[in-house]
Amino acid sequence: MTEYNNETRPAENRHFGIAERGKMYSLEGNFKEALRHYREAIRMSHRDADSEIFFQHYSQCVMEALELSGAHDEVIAYCDTFLDFLAEKLDENSADTSLLTKYYAAVLERQAIQFLLQGEKEDAIDTLKLAQQKVGRGKQPITDDLLNWALRGYTISKKQVTDLQRKHQYFIVRKDTVQPAIAVELPQGFSPF
C-alpha cells in the first residue's frame, strides 16, 4: 500500500487508490476511515474527464459505508441528493437512458431498505413500488422480494434483508472486488472537508 503523496502520483489517477483504501477500511468495519477516503476520492475525481462515473461509483461506496454503520437517516438523505442528481441527468439525456434509469431504481431500492430497517414500512412500500415501476419486475430481485413480503404484511427482519443483500451481491464493496495493491493511505489528520 502506498502512502498518499501529492507530488509523486499523477493527479488524474490518485483518487483510484484513495477510494480503494476506503474500500479496504469498509471491509474491516472502519467506516469512519472509509468515508474519509471516499470523500477525498470524490473531491479529487471532479478533475477527471469521467468525473460523473466516478461520482456515481464513489457515492455508492459512501452509501454502503453509511448503511453498514447504521446511519440510515444519512443514507436516506444521501439517496435523496443522488436521486435529484440522477433525475437531472435523465432530463438532460433524452437518448438512451437505460443505465441512468437502472441507477435511479437501485438508489430507490437502497433508500427503501433504509426505511425498512427503521420500521417505516409504508415509506418502504412506496419507494419499492417506484423502483419496480422504473425498471419493471424481475430486474431487481431484492426490490421484488421485499415488495412482495411487505405487501403481504410480513414482518421483515434485518437478517432477512442482509441475507437477500448477500444472495444478490447488493454491496459493490466486496473482498473479491477490492484491489489492495493500488490502495493509497491518506495521512492521519488529512480531511477532504
Side-chain angles (χ1 to χ4, degrees), residues 150-169:
L151 289 174
R152 290 174 176 224
Y154 297 166
T155 300
I156 303 169
S157 71
K158 183 177 188 321
K159 183 185 179 328
Q160 289 170 306
V161 172
T162 302
D163 289 348
L164 267 180
Q165 289 170 321
R166 282 191 189 119
K167 176 181 177 185
H168 296 290
Q169 295 188 330

Side-chain angles (χ1 to χ4, degrees), residues 49-128:
D50 295 323
S51 63
E52 286 183 25
I53 293 168
F54 295 116
F55 174 74
Q56 291 174 16
H57 177 71
Y58 298 157
S59 292
Q60 288 178 305
C61 293
V62 167
M63 287 187 283
E64 283 184 12
L66 289 170
E67 180 177 339
L68 290 167
S69 71
H72 304 298
D73 285 332
E74 288 183 60
V75 179
I76 291 167
Y78 209 100
C79 286
D80 283 335
T81 301
F82 199 42
L83 289 168
D84 290 343
F85 169 79
L86 290 172
E88 186 178 303
K89 294 298 169 196
L90 282 165
D91 289 342
E92 290 173 8
N93 297 315
S94 57
D96 182 23
T97 59
S98 59
L99 184 58
L100 287 172
T101 301
K102 181 182 172 185
Y103 278 137
Y104 194 92
V107 174
L108 286 169
E109 178 180 83
R110 184 175 305 277
Q111 190 173 52
I113 288 171
Q114 306 319 299
F115 288 135
L116 277 175
L117 294 172
Q118 289 187 317
E120 299 171 22
K121 196 171 185 178
E122 290 308 312
D123 288 334
I125 289 171
D126 292 343
T127 308
L128 289 166

Side-chain angles (χ1 to χ4, degrees), residues 129-179:
K129 283 180 179 178
L130 185 55
Q132 195 176 66
Q133 288 170 0
K134 287 285 182 191
V135 292
R137 288 183 186 193
K139 302 291 183 183
Q140 287 186 179
I142 296 173
T143 295
D144 296 341
D145 287 349
L146 291 175
L147 182 57
N148 181 29
W149 296 346
L151 289 174
R152 290 174 176 224
Y154 297 166
T155 300
I156 303 169
S157 71
K158 183 177 188 321
K159 183 185 179 328
Q160 289 170 306
V161 172
T162 302
D163 289 348
L164 267 180
Q165 289 170 321
R166 282 191 189 119
K167 176 181 177 185
H168 296 290
Q169 295 188 330
Y170 169 86
F171 293 108
I172 60 171
V173 177
R174 300 183 311 271
K175 216 174 203 171
D176 64 314
T177 64
V178 175
Q179 301 174 45

